Amino acid sequence: MRIAVAKEIEVCERRVALNPDTVARLVKQGLEVQVETGAGERSFFSDSAYEAAGAKIIDDPAQLWGEADILLKVSPPQEREDGRSEIDLLREGAVLISFLNPLGNPVVAQQLANRKVTALSMELIPRTTRAQSMDALSSQASLAGYKAVLIAAAALPKYFPMLTTAAGTIAPAKIFIMGAGVAGLQAIATARRLGAVVEAFDIRPAVKEEVQSLGAKFVEVQLEEETTAAGGYAKEISEASKQRTQEVVAEHVKNADVVITTALVPGKKAPLLVTEEMVAQMKPGSVIVDMAAEQGGNCACTEPGKDIVWNGVTIIGPINLPSSMPVHASQLYSKNVTSLVQLLIKDKALQVDFADDIVDAACITHTGEIRNQRVRDALQAVSGVGAAQ
């Protein structure tokens, strides 16, 4: 059983799929691990560290991809600079485990099916107790929520905490966090550690106790529809509910020194939470960190990957925040991926068991077919034709 770790070619991707510690565990279990030359460099893991853990370093990407039984990545496969597709480097029948963005870019799923690759998407790991150790969305979102607050604190021209000094008392900063999922909860905790006064909003009333347990005030909006999707994620709501939400949160945005937005809907454009009118009401010097920038942004003024100043308000649209903390991001992702790999391997042999709810949910392609109905629907929406059944 040969497990391969590819070097990421995405420009802003600094993470690696396995770190040396997890490589050592897999090698100890009798598995062969190959690592592409320089795969861990941007995460500060050297080739020599992987060799010391028992991995074999492979310089030729075509050899690494072509010989792999299980290929591990972080970012979805894409075109290489030499014109070759990473998907075409995989042999038929191989297993690919990675973030694949199957609902946002279902064409990749079709390409994997055409190649007869068994692909497991880390985004589709179910949110269950049994799957917690494999939940890469949560592990990476926690890092992003932490980093977003640090970015906001660096950009805000004020202290976060209340300070009593000989020159007078400094009032604490007011932070408003929109979305209380994993990223939002970590943002609340981090902002509280820095001494800020924190308010948080979420369309899911069930998260109120979690928000309050972290010392933040929960802003409630009464909506007459279901707001929680399967797995506990926020559900896309009607236009009427969106309007009602904006009306309630507008005053909290206006009074905040920092607004951090985290709302995402898988496979869809991020919901608009902060309008231009809201931004116009904010105090000059205020800061918005839009964690949904990659999917269009929760703020109407966001420009993905850029910091802009609009009407005196600094609006930051960071891309791939977990990658800015590659050491711990890779450590956590490596644990997530390793847990999934160990679920797939029985007695040193690969067993893709669809009777297992985790494997069934995460596996999007197998033996030339797209297995996931949501992915098939997404593909049909973008291509206008039916997906491989």
Side-chain angles (χ1 to χ4, degrees), residues 108-129:
V108 170
Q110 184 64 73
Q111 293 169 341
L112 289 165
N114 293 343
R115 188 64 178 167
K116 295 183 172 59
V117 170
T118 296
L120 287 91
S121 173
M122 295 303 290
E123 292 96 333
L124 298 184
I125 295 291
R127 180 168 279 183
T128 61
T129 300

Side-chain angles (χ1 to χ4, degrees), residues 128-134 343 356-359:
T128 61
T129 300
R130 181 168 167 263
Q132 277 184 335
S133 64
M134 309 169 205
L343 182 66
D356 186 289
D357 63 308
I358 297 174
V359 176

Side-chain angles (χ1 to χ4, degrees), residues 58-388:
I58 305 295
D59 185 57
D60 181 11
Q63 177 187 346
L64 180 98
W65 286 70
E67 294 180 354
D69 296 306
I70 301 176
L71 193 288
L72 305 179
K73 281 189 92 279
V74 180
S75 295
Q78 56 185 276
E79 296 293 320
R80 301 178 62 89
E81 287 185 357
D82 59 11
R84 292 181 297 178
S85 165
E86 288 187 316
I87 292 175
D88 290 339
L89 295 179
L90 281 167
R91 65 173 180 81
E92 290 188 3
V95 173
L96 172 65
I97 300 176
S98 179
F99 283 123
L100 295 172
N101 190 21
L103 300 178
N105 185 17
V107 173
V108 170
Q110 184 64 73
Q111 293 169 341
L112 289 165
N114 293 343
R115 188 64 178 167
K116 295 183 172 59
V117 170
T118 296
L120 287 91
S121 173
M122 295 303 290
E123 292 96 333
L124 298 184
I125 295 291
R127 180 168 279 183
T128 61
T129 300
R130 181 168 167 263
Q132 277 184 335
S133 64
M134 309 169 205
D135 187 357
L137 277 183
S138 291
S139 72
Q140 303 303 297
S142 181
L143 289 151
Y146 170 82
K147 192 59 178 284
V149 174
L150 300 187
I151 290 171
L156 185 70
K158 298 180 179 181
Y159 277 117
F160 261 37
M162 182 181 77
L163 294 175
T164 301
T165 75
T169 299
I170 304 293
K174 296 178 180 178
I175 316 300
F176 185 42
I177 295 170
M178 307 182 74
V182 174
L185 292 172
Q186 183 61 259
I188 292 168
T190 304
R192 290 286 295 146
R193 289 189 198 104
L194 293 176
V197 173
V198 183
E199 293 183 323
F201 158 78
D202 197 289
I203 60 173
R204 297 164 295 177
V207 302
K208 179 178 179 179
E209 289 186 9
E210 294 179 86
V211 168
Q212 293 175 331
S213 71
L214 293 171
K217 178 184 176 183
F218 186 66
V219 176
E220 293 190 70
V221 179
Q222 299 297 328
L223 300 178
E224 296 181 358
E225 64 177 280
E226 180 57 53
T227 57
T228 304
Y233 295 99
K235 183 180 180 180
E236 187 172 24
I237 55 177
S238 66
E239 289 301 320
S241 292
K242 289 178 184 177
Q243 180 63 35
R244 169 64 179 153
T245 296
Q246 290 177 2
E247 291 171 359
V248 172
V249 304
E251 192 67 19
H252 297 272
V253 171
K254 175 183 175 181
N255 294 328
D257 295 301
V258 170
V259 174
I260 296 176
T261 65
T262 72
L264 292 170
V265 178
K268 297 183 180 292
K269 188 178 185 299
L272 178 64
L273 302 180
V274 181
T275 64
E276 287 189 3
E277 291 76 14
M278 292 184 197
V279 178
Q281 294 295 315
M282 295 180 72
K283 299 181 293 290
S286 300
V287 174
I288 297 173
V289 179
D290 190 341
M291 292 177 61
E294 289 178 82
Q295 287 183 221
N298 297 140
C299 176
C301 306
T302 298
E303 294 186 25
K306 296 183 179 180
D307 299 359
I308 66 167
V309 177
W310 195 91
N311 201 40
V313 177
T314 299
I315 302 160
I316 302 171
I319 299 295
N320 197 356
L321 276 175
S323 184
S324 68
M325 299 174 63
V327 174
H328 283 149
S330 297
Q331 177 184 327
L332 296 175
Y333 183 76
S334 181
K335 172 61 176 175
N336 298 144
V337 170
T338 300
S339 295
L340 181 57
V341 167
Q342 291 173 328
L343 182 66
L344 295 172
I345 297 177
K346 309 294 183 185
D347 299 322
K348 300 182 184 179
L350 181 66
Q351 295 183 23
V352 183
D353 180 10
F354 295 123
D356 186 289
D357 63 308
I358 297 174
V359 176
D360 184 55
C363 185
I364 60 170
T365 65
H366 183 64
T367 61
E369 298 179 350
I370 295 179
R371 299 186 65 258
N372 187 288
Q373 185 60 49
R374 293 169 66 201
V375 177
R376 288 200 292 264
D377 292 343
L379 182 64
Q380 187 168 7
V382 298
S383 66
V385 298

